[in-house]
């Protein structure tokens, strides 16, 4: 896990050096993760009314929120 955090920190620093803002750079890692989770939950809840027709989109939201990088 510490290697992943170091890599994320290096990527944020690299983007900052290019004047590219990132949510992690602006909010910090924990707040960005919290926002990611909140938005994924909101998307999944909004898709629920479509039932099985929205399964692919629901799984895409879950995947995006759970991916490592």
């Amino acid at each position: 896990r510490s290697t992943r955090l170091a890599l994320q920190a290096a990527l944020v620093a690299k983007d900052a050096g290019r004047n590219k803002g990132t949510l992690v750079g602006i909010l910090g890692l924990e707040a960005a993760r919290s926002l990611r989770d909140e938005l994924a939950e909101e998307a999944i809840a909004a898709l629920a009314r479509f039932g099985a027709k929205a399964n692919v989109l629901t799984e895409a939201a879950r995947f995006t929120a759970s991916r490592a990088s």
Side-chain angles (χ1 to χ4, degrees):
R1 180 176 168 123
S2 62
T3 302
R4 185 176 352 147
L5 291 176
L7 177 59
Q8 288 173 336
L11 291 174
V12 168
K14 183 177 177 183
D15 284 344
R18 296 181 188 170
N19 292 323
K20 287 175 61 181
T22 65
L23 282 177
V24 173
I26 294 166
L27 301 176
L29 184 58
E30 290 306 314
R33 284 181 174 162
S34 179
L35 179 60
R36 172 204 63 197
D37 294 343
E38 196 176 304
L39 292 173
E41 289 175 21
E42 189 177 315
I44 291 166
L47 291 166
R49 70 185 196 134
F50 297 102
K53 290 188 246 180
N55 282 350
V56 171
L57 293 174
T58 300
E59 289 307 313
R62 285 190 180 111
F63 171 79
T64 302
S66 68
R67 64 187 281 248
S69 62

